């Protein structure tokens, strides 16, 4: 696709988004349902990756859209809707974390007595074990880095899209992601 | 190429953002520590890519729209309740003022009270009217506020 095609598509998407927002502001429930349909996979995916308590994901994802609805009259449209939604997801998830989880070593026993061993010398991980250890390590990252990791690896969101969505420079996105992954590597290898 | 340089690049290499050139390759081939760091970075990247994607339930959109309708209805109900209270207070104030005015007249007319006798006719009227007039102003103000609130709520509902 050429740069001109991409620019045309982006302009059309922005126009569609503005029209949808106008319909939502006019009290059109079906327009808001369309907005939810457009962004529910993103929001649900992000929330499920940001919040450790799985039983709260549904409620928090709904809370994100309620905040979007309440904020619509004040959304000036200077940023993309997705940028605003990312911020709301971050705030909603942050509000659920009244305190940071304790800095537990990943190779200690967890609350139900399972023991997590450090990476084997030959570097092989059991799939489930890696996932479990990885989730614990991710939970120790700062919120901004957790959101970036969640968004980037959710349906392969590209750096450019992420930079645009979060309204931060492309280089900053990459730097934060590398730092986050370095921290994960250190936590998993410790 | 130093170990510090190489280790700082392993995340970019694991993510596929950086091509491994000859100098980097030779470093990773000869340095077990940096090679282990690269392998570890690749495991982290693979683990992140393999995280399950949780999909919203089928009726998620309906549930959200339902919650919004309920919230809107509750908000309208709150405004209605406030409006009704304001109307009742305004009516009570007006009725109270009329009652007070008629009562003062009756007392003055029937008993010819000391206060009424001593005060001049204009003074009496002014004294009687002053508090009543203020009450009317307050009631009118309240009524106007209630009507403005009604107009505002009606405008919000129609948005």
């Amino acid at each position: 696709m050429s740069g001109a095609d991409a620019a045309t598509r982006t302009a059309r998407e922005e126009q569609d988004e503005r029209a949808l927002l106008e319909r939502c502001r006019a009290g059109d429930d079906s327009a808001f349902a369309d907005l939810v349909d457009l962004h529910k996979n993103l929001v649900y995916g992000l929330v499920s990756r940001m919040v450790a308590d799985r039983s709260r994901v549904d409620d928090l994802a709904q809370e994100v859209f309620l905040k979007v609805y309440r904020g619509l009259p004040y959304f000036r449209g200077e940023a993309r809707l997705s940028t605003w939604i990312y911020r709301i997801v971050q705030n909603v998830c942050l509000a659920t974390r009244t305190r940071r989880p304790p800095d537990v070593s990943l190779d200690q026993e967890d609350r139900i007595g399972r023991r997590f061993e450090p990476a084997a010398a030959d570097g092989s991980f059991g799939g489930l074990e890696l996932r479990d250890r990885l989730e614990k390590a991710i939970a120790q990252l700062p919120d901004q880095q957790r959101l970036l990791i969640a968004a980037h690896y959710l349906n392969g969101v590209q750096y450019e899209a992420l930079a645009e969505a979060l309204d931060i420079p492309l280089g900053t996105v990459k730097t934060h992601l590398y730092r986050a992954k370095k921290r994960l590597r250190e936590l998993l290898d410790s | 190429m130093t170990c510090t340089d190489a280790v700082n690049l392993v995340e970019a290499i694991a993510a596929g953002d950086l091509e491994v050139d000859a100098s980097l390759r030779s470093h990773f081939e000869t340095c077990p520590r940096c090679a282990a760091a690269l392998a570890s970075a690749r495991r982290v990247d693979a683990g992140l890519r393999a995280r399950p994607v949780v999909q919203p339930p089928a009726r998620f959109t309906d549930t959200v729209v339902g919650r919004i309708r309920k919230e809107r209805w509750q908000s309208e109900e709150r405004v209605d309740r406030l409006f009704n209270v304001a109307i009742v207070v305004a009516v009570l104030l007006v009725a109270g003022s009329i009652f007070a005015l008629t009562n003062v007249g009756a007392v003055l007319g029937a008993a010819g009270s000391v206060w009424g006798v001593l005060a001049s006719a204009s003074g009496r009227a002014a004294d009687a009217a002053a508090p009543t007039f203020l009450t009317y102003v307050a009631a009118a103000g309240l009524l106007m506020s209630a009507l403005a609130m009604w107009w505002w709520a009606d405008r919000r509902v129609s948005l």
Side-chain angles (χ1 to χ4, degrees):
Chain A
M1 185 184 295
S2 71
D5 285 345
T8 309
R9 196 193 58 185
T10 307
R12 200 172 54 235
E13 280 172 2
E14 280 177 16
Q15 211 172 359
D16 291 348
E17 189 175 283
R18 269 200 298 272
L20 183 65
L21 287 171
E22 278 312 309
R23 284 173 56 214
C24 290
R25 285 197 193 100
D28 183 346
D29 282 351
S30 70
F32 194 75
D34 290 346
L35 187 148
V36 175
D37 276 336
L38 271 177
H39 296 279
K40 67 181 176 184
N41 286 344
L42 171 76
V43 168
Y44 213 89
L46 284 176
V47 172
S48 69
R49 288 180 171 196
M50 293 279 287
V51 177
D53 185 354
R54 291 279 179 266
S55 66
R56 300 205 59 197
V57 172
D58 200 60
D59 199 43
L60 290 174
Q62 288 179 27
E63 186 62 34
V64 168
F65 283 110
L66 287 179
K67 282 187 184 292
V68 169
Y69 180 80
R70 288 179 203 135
L72 274 176
Y74 313 104
F75 179 65
R76 287 173 296 179
E78 286 165 2
R80 290 291 302 270
L81 180 62
S82 54
T83 308
W84 186 43
I85 289 177
Y86 272 110
R87 283 185 191 145
I88 294 176
V89 168
Q90 191 172 15
N91 291 340
V92 165
C93 293
L94 189 63
T96 65
R97 276 162 64 105
T98 49
R99 61 185 170 85
R100 281 188 64 77
D103 285 337
V104 290
S105 168
L106 298 180
D107 55 5
Q108 288 174 347
E109 285 186 357
D110 71 358
R111 283 184 196 149
I112 57 169
R114 286 176 303 176
R115 190 171 175 79
F116 295 98
E117 299 296 337
D122 64 356
S124 63
F125 280 109
L128 280 175
E129 188 183 339
L130 170 64
R131 192 183 300 168
D132 220 353
R133 285 161 50 75
L134 191 58
E135 293 301 330
K136 282 173 184 285
I138 290 168
Q140 294 192 43
L141 293 176
D143 293 302
Q144 168 85 355
Q145 290 184 358
R146 277 206 345 273
L147 180 71
L148 275 171
I149 287 278
H152 180 56
Y153 287 96
L154 184 72
N155 300 328
V157 178
Q158 299 301 310
Y159 295 127
E160 290 79 4
L162 210 49
E164 190 191 333
L166 294 172
D167 200 19
I168 51 178
L170 183 64
T172 310
V173 170
K174 286 187 179 179
T175 306
H176 279 303
L177 274 169
Y178 294 155
R179 271 189 206 147
K181 287 192 277 187
K182 186 180 178 191
R183 179 74 186 129
L184 290 177
R185 178 164 58 81
E186 288 166 353
L187 284 166
L188 289 167
D189 287 347
S190 62
Chain B
M1 175 68 60
T2 64
C3 285
T4 311
D5 294 335
V7 165
N8 280 338
L9 297 174
V10 295
E11 269 71 36
I13 296 168
D17 296 338
L18 189 70
E19 288 285 322
V20 182
D21 61 16
S23 126
L24 260 176
R25 183 171 292 110
S26 90
H27 184 84
F28 284 123
E29 281 169 359
T30 53
C31 177
R33 223 172 118 237
C34 290
L38 179 59
S40 179
R42 284 186 168 139
R43 277 199 304 278
V44 168
D45 206 69
L48 290 171
R49 285 181 202 285
R51 286 177 92 191
V53 177
V54 183
Q55 296 291 335
R59 294 191 53 78
F60 181 78
T61 303
D62 292 341
T63 310
V64 171
V65 173
R67 275 185 72 174
I68 280 161
R69 281 190 183 135
K70 188 177 170 192
E71 192 177 283
R72 196 166 50 203
W73 179 77
Q74 283 171 338
S75 162
E76 286 165 14
E77 199 182 36
R78 257 197 311 274
V79 172
D80 278 353
R81 215 175 297 145
L82 268 173
F83 173 72
N84 289 341
V85 168
I87 288 285
V88 167
V89 170
V91 167
L92 283 176
L93 276 172
V94 170
S97 322
I98 292 167
F99 176 77
L101 192 63
T102 51
N103 242 12
V104 168
V107 169
L108 287 178
S113 67
V114 179
W115 178 81
V117 171
L118 292 178
S120 67
S122 59
R124 271 204 324 264
D127 287 347
T132 313
F133 177 72
L134 283 175
T135 313
Y136 275 123
V137 169
L142 204 60
L143 194 61
M144 296 267 286
S145 315
L147 287 171
M149 204 188 305
W150 185 20
W151 170 81
W152 172 79
D154 192 49
R155 196 168 148 267
R156 258 181 69 105
V157 169
S158 65
L159 270 177

